Amino acid sequence: MGAKRTKARPGEGEKLRDEILCAADALLGEAGTDEALTLRAVARRTGVSTPSVYAHFTSRDALLEAVCLRVWDELGHRMREHAVEVVDPMRALSRCARVYARFALDHPVQYRVLLMRPSGGSSPGAVACFRYLADATATCVRAGILHGEPEVLAMGLWSAMHGCVSLLIAQPGFGWPEEPEALIDTVIRMAGLGTALACRVPRDAIPPSAVVAEDLDGLTAGWAVRARRTG
């Protein structure tokens, strides 16, 4: 239980808000679920009254979303850090996808709250996640590797990654590989290759299997060359 605080002086409101968020984050980490997060529990941990928490967050959901969004800045930093030295746009996109998946598995509570619960509108967490992948996809389109509307292509790639990590988080007892990276890499390759191939085929066409194989061989060979150049 936190020590009882004295009344905040003028100008200390932002400091208290940060302390409330830190306390809420600690509760989430300790419990491993958002069910432990209540305004009363956070007030007790921070050493303030429950109305003091209400002054900064009008509801439990508002507090829950705010504390979960704190980690999303870290996701953006990780994506930029892992892609900054990669010259090939498609390779950079695949790195972003891997960082996204790993980040979700490292922060399962926050991921469940922001991206695995029904939402009445656009969740800021969902918008932020999508934006990171959409920007990397747009770079591939500008380079001529992918063709089409970057945001539509990114939605397909995001759906594949979200499906993968959501299953890993929601069904931990399933017989997944001991190290999930192998599964994640497979999903990324399938989504990336499938998107690049689909971009070259009219939407209303069902191409002969030989054409698909020829296009796929060409794409794979081209990416192999770029991978060797970029290390």
Side-chain angles (χ1 to χ4, degrees):
M1 180 174 176
K4 201 68 176 177
R5 298 169 57 101
T6 57
K7 185 176 180 180
R9 293 189 294 272
E12 289 187 342
E14 192 61 32
K15 179 182 177 183
L16 175 57
R17 186 180 189 277
D18 287 341
E19 290 180 10
I20 291 169
L21 287 172
C22 287
D25 188 55
L27 285 170
L28 285 180
E30 291 167 9
T33 173
D34 64 283
E35 294 176 2
L37 189 66
T38 65
L39 295 183
R40 181 174 296 179
V42 171
R44 188 163 54 245
R45 175 68 65 97
T46 312
V48 299
S49 65
T50 302
S52 295
V53 178
Y54 271 112
H56 293 275
F57 302 97
T58 56
S59 68
R60 175 186 179 276
D61 285 346
L63 173 58
L64 185 58
E65 183 165 274
V67 71
C68 290
L69 282 172
R70 280 162 59 95
V71 302
W72 251 243
D73 287 339
E74 182 188 344
L75 172 59
H77 174 73
R78 285 194 196 181
M79 283 192 170
R80 290 187 293 270
E81 186 179 65
H82 282 74
V84 67
E85 296 179 356
V86 181
V87 176
D88 181 76
M90 198 68 181
R91 192 173 176 85
L93 176 58
S94 69
R95 282 200 177 187
C96 284
R98 286 182 177 85
V99 170
Y100 174 94
R102 187 68 262 172
F103 187 84
L105 298 181
D106 287 344
H107 301 86
V109 177
Q110 290 88 341
Y111 195 86
R112 281 197 299 267
V113 168
L114 293 175
L115 293 172
M116 294 173 64
R117 299 193 312 170
S119 174
S122 295
S123 162
V127 171
C129 283
F130 174 70
R131 196 72 265 153
Y132 296 137
L133 292 176
D135 289 345
T137 303
T139 303
C140 292
V141 173
R142 287 194 296 270
I145 300 170
L146 299 177
H147 303 287
E149 291 294 327
E151 296 207 348
V152 174
L153 298 174
M155 284 179 185
L157 294 168
W158 184 34
S159 298
M161 294 313 304
H162 174 69
C164 177
V165 297
S166 294
L167 282 170
L168 288 168
I169 291 172
Q171 301 293 331
F174 190 76
W176 306 114
E178 187 172 340
E179 293 297 330
E181 276 69 19
L183 174 63
I184 291 169
D185 283 347
T186 298
V187 172
I188 290 172
R189 284 176 57 81
M190 290 173 64
L193 286 168
T195 299
L197 181 57
C199 289
R200 290 159 171 78
V201 178
R203 295 186 64 179
D204 59 349
I206 301 177
S209 58
V211 174
V212 174
E214 183 180 344
D215 284 352
L216 185 56
D217 287 344
L219 288 169
T220 304
W223 289 345
V225 170
R226 284 195 294 270
R228 287 195 294 271
R229 288 175 179 171
T230 57

